[in-house]
Amino acid sequence: MILFKNIEELNELLTRNKDMSMLLNEKDRNTLDNLIDELSKDINSNLLKTILGLQENKYSIEIIWQLHMKQIVDFTEFITCYKWDRDQIVKILLCMSESKEKLCQEILTDLLGSLLILLSGEPNHKFDPHVQIIQQFLTQSSLIIIRNPDIWIYLKNLKCSSCLIKSTIQKIFKIMLKNMLIADVNFHLNVAYEQYRLYKTPDSIYNMLKMFLDELNDDDIYTLIQNVITQHSEKANWKLILSLISTFVKTKSHLCHVLKLKLEEFFNQTLSESTTEKSFLMQKAALLMFRHCCLEIGLWSEYNRWYSTYKPNVDTAKVFYSLLTELLPIDLPAALAAHINTQPKLTESCGNIQSNYVKKAQAQLTKINHGEDYMGLFKNYDDCQNRHESDIVKVLESFKSTGQVMRVVLEACVFRNKYFTGTFLKTLMNTQLVDNELRNRFIEKLNSMNKIPKNMYTKWKQEQHSIYFS
């Protein structure tokens, strides 16, 4: 009698909770817990499975989870024996991944984890439907995370799951990262060239990428980036590629120069390939990644150092300067200035190639900025009128606290002498600006280091003298 009452009560509960996406209310949750305990005894376990089969697969995902956790019916068995619709399962799991409810995240971690365990074993055709669910879920989840970065938290839960080994976690993260890197988000290569120094990595994306970098091998990261550019360059997600490089440099500072060397090697490799439309696209992509890595390591001075010592052979120089020439309409003024201010010493046979580009770059820079240096010492400013004075303020603040001239100032003197003399010193020594003792001490410090042209310093001293006695 009690058995039939329990069966009837279970049927009613299943009927009330037909929607697979819904969670149970507290009363039904407690009822289900008690019924499972009663009906899962050896004598009734088959009866319980029969009841589930008669429901035509129409019951809440929480019921499936409860049965899975109590080891009555494993989730993989649900998929195999109860012939659940694969698309429906993926849809429900994706909905749960977007939910902020703790229970949803817990259910997702347990059910998804039970499927992901299959990735750590030997291939078995019996589990093909399960693997297809995993692939479909990871692919669609990658796109959802790109649109809404805040929902990657379930990946963190999987990482902490006790049922998944490290190699399985690495496999999942590699799949997810690759999917994200080729998720076309209308931030194509030309747009990236124009805006990459303005794009800032959201905190949620940074934290997710940091987690990936903590788990994956460094070589895996480089290989992923290279594969995306060589195989999927037309739909590469440049926001994430740039964010990945930025996050790598920030979190693995001891390895950032290794990444830079690998990206430089990849760039040189693309320059040596045939000059087809696809190879040009790869060259452009490789240069952007390498340059971005340089800027993340040490701003433009890092890129300037590389460019000033770059010595390609004649054939490579032709391709390189042809690439830079093609990029003139979309390249940043700061990049043009870097190419103009510091020239690598090439062989005589490469001189004409180089000088032709420099003339065009100068013309383009003049067209954009009326011949002025576009970039400041620290970043590109939206307010063109105040950016150089803002640099002066920052430099003086550092000098006040340390008594030393910032490295970026000394680098500008060497690598961007035209800017240093014509813009930085001119702004620094402009008597129309607010005069103060700190600024004067800084100027005297620079002069003692022979960083100020003699005639410029003499003129400034005379102007200071005339102001004092006026």
Side-chain angles (χ1 to χ4, degrees):
M1 188 71 180
I2 295 175
L3 176 62
F4 287 115
K5 183 179 179 181
N6 288 341
I7 293 173
E8 183 179 0
E9 194 170 358
L10 178 61
N11 272 319
E12 290 175 356
L13 187 147
L14 293 174
T15 302
R16 284 196 303 274
N17 298 279
K18 283 185 176 182
D19 187 350
M20 190 179 182
S21 63
M22 71 183 295
L23 298 180
L24 308 183
N25 59 41
E26 195 62 35
K27 181 180 178 182
D28 281 352
R29 189 170 291 129
N30 293 330
T31 301
L32 177 66
D33 192 52
N34 293 330
L35 288 173
I36 289 176
D37 287 342
E38 287 294 325
L39 293 172
S40 62
K41 296 173 183 176
D42 290 341
I43 192 172
N44 297 322
S45 59
N46 290 331
L47 178 60
L48 177 58
K49 292 180 180 181
T50 302
I51 295 170
L52 293 172
L54 292 173
Q55 291 295 321
E56 298 180 347
N57 305 338
K58 293 180 180 178
Y59 36 87
S60 164
I61 189 73
E62 185 178 348
I63 296 174
I64 298 172
W65 173 64
Q66 288 277 18
L67 293 168
H68 168 81
M69 294 305 293
K70 290 180 178 293
Q71 299 181 345
I72 307 300
V73 186
D74 189 84
F75 186 46
T76 55
E77 186 181 346
F78 267 109
I79 295 170
T80 304
C81 300
Y82 291 82
K83 302 187 185 304
W84 283 82
D85 179 73
R86 189 173 70 209
D87 292 337
Q88 178 70 3
I89 294 174
V90 172
K91 181 180 177 181
I92 297 304
L93 293 178
L94 288 171
C95 287
M96 302 196 84
S97 73
E98 296 183 73
S99 173
K100 294 182 179 180
E101 286 193 42
K102 184 178 179 181
L103 180 59
C104 284
Q105 289 294 325
E106 188 177 348
I107 293 173
L108 177 66
T109 301
D110 291 331
L111 296 185
L112 192 58
S114 69
L115 295 180
L116 293 171
I117 290 174
L118 302 176
L119 296 179
S120 59
E122 293 294 325
N124 187 330
H125 292 303
K126 175 185 175 182
F127 297 119
D128 283 352
H130 306 77
V131 174
Q132 289 170 1
I133 288 173
I134 294 170
Q135 292 172 336
Q136 194 173 334
F137 173 84
L138 294 180
T139 299
Q140 294 185 35
S141 177
S142 301
L143 298 176
I144 293 173
I145 291 175
I146 290 298
R147 293 195 298 268
N148 181 9
D150 293 327
I151 67 166
W152 66 272
I153 194 67
Y154 83 87
L155 292 171
K156 184 177 180 180
N157 295 334
L158 286 175
K159 175 190 170 185
C160 300
S161 173
S162 59
C163 66
L164 297 177
I165 60 177
K166 185 177 180 65
S167 61
T168 303
I169 294 295
Q170 289 177 330
K171 189 177 293 187
I172 297 164
F173 284 2
K174 276 196 282 189
I175 293 171
M176 290 293 292
L177 186 54
K178 181 181 178 181
N179 289 339
M180 292 179 193
L181 290 175
I182 58 175
D184 190 339
V185 290
N186 292 322
F187 193 81
H188 301 299
L189 191 51
N190 282 357
V191 179
Y193 257 99
E194 294 173 341
Q195 300 182 17
Y196 70 98
R197 294 306 290 164
L198 302 176
Y199 175 68
K200 303 299 180 185
T201 303
D203 289 343
S204 53
I205 290 290
Y206 172 83
N207 291 329
M208 178 185 70
L209 292 176
K210 183 178 182 301
M211 181 183 70
F212 286 161
L213 291 170
D214 287 342
E215 292 298 318
L216 298 177
N217 298 324
D218 302 325
D219 286 340
D220 289 338
I221 299 298
Y222 171 71
T223 302
L224 272 175
I225 294 174
Q226 187 177 19
N227 288 344
V228 166
I229 299 305
T230 54
Q231 299 173 19
H232 308 280
S233 55
E234 293 182 356
K235 58 178 182 177
N237 179 355
W238 279 100
K239 283 186 177 180
L240 198 70
I241 292 172
L242 297 174
S243 292
L244 181 60
I245 293 172
S246 299
T247 307
F248 189 102
V249 171
K250 289 178 182 177
T251 60
K252 296 178 178 282
S253 56
H254 59 296
L255 293 171
C256 61
H257 285 280
V258 176
L259 177 64
K260 176 189 165 186
L261 288 173
K262 288 187 175 182
L263 292 176
E264 180 183 2
E265 181 182 349
F266 178 54
F267 174 55
N268 287 328
Q269 179 185 328
T270 64
L271 292 178
S272 64
E273 296 178 356
S274 58
T275 53
T276 62
E277 184 176 347
K278 183 177 180 181
S279 64
F280 173 72
L281 187 65
M282 287 176 54
Q283 291 160 8
K284 190 160 65 168
L287 176 59
L288 176 60
M289 292 190 301
F290 171 69
R291 186 189 287 173
H292 183 66
C293 184
C294 288
L295 300 184
E296 289 298 305
I297 292 172
L299 300 175
W300 286 100
S301 60
E302 184 73 21
Y303 179 74
N304 287 346
R305 270 195 292 271
W306 168 80
Y307 180 73
S308 63
T309 58
Y310 187 53
K311 294 184 178 180
N313 59 38
V314 178
D315 291 336
T316 303
K318 287 179 180 178
V319 179
F320 177 59
Y321 282 104
S322 174
L323 171 65
L324 293 184
T325 302
E326 288 288 334
L327 292 174
L328 281 174
I330 61 172
D331 220 349
L332 285 181
L336 301 179
H339 297 153
I340 294 169
N341 291 339
T342 54
Q343 292 301 310
K345 295 180 180 179
L346 304 182
T347 60
E348 187 176 344
S349 54
C350 297
N352 289 336
I353 303 170
Q354 185 185 54
S355 60
N356 287 338
Y357 165 75
V358 170
K359 289 176 184 177
K360 293 177 181 178
Q362 287 173 331
Q364 177 69 3
L365 195 58
T366 301
K367 178 182 176 182
I368 296 172
N369 298 304
H370 307 292
E372 295 181 6
D373 195 326
Y374 177 79
M375 60 180 176
L377 283 178
F378 302 101
K379 64 179 181 178
N380 297 333
Y381 295 89
D382 294 330
D383 185 348
C384 296
Q385 184 178 357
N386 296 324
R387 68 174 180 267
H388 299 308
E389 178 60 20
S390 297
D391 280 348
I392 299 299
V393 171
K394 191 167 185 177
V395 166
L396 290 177
E397 286 176 352
S398 173
F399 180 69
K400 182 178 180 179
S401 62
T402 66
Q404 301 296 320
V405 178
M406 293 182 75
R407 188 186 74 173
V408 70
V409 176
L410 301 178
E411 288 176 345
C413 177
V414 176
F415 297 112
R416 299 171 57 200
N417 190 259
K418 185 177 178 181
Y419 157 79
F420 180 77
T421 304
T423 302
F424 180 78
L425 288 181
K426 183 179 177 181
T427 306
L428 176 68
M429 304 170 80
N430 190 342
T431 54
Q432 301 301 315
L433 300 173
V434 177
D435 191 11
N436 56 53
E437 182 185 352
L438 178 63
R439 185 186 296 241
N440 290 347
R441 284 197 292 114
F442 183 71
I443 292 172
E444 295 292 355
K445 177 73 172 180
L446 286 177
N447 186 61
S448 69
M449 300 169 70
N450 296 319
K451 300 301 181 184
I452 303 178
K454 187 175 181 179
N455 60 340
M456 197 172 189
Y457 176 75
T458 302
K459 181 182 177 183
W460 175 76
K461 288 294 284 186
Q462 290 172 348
E463 289 174 346
Q464 292 299 301
H465 183 78
S466 62
I467 290 173
Y468 182 78
F469 287 103
S470 60

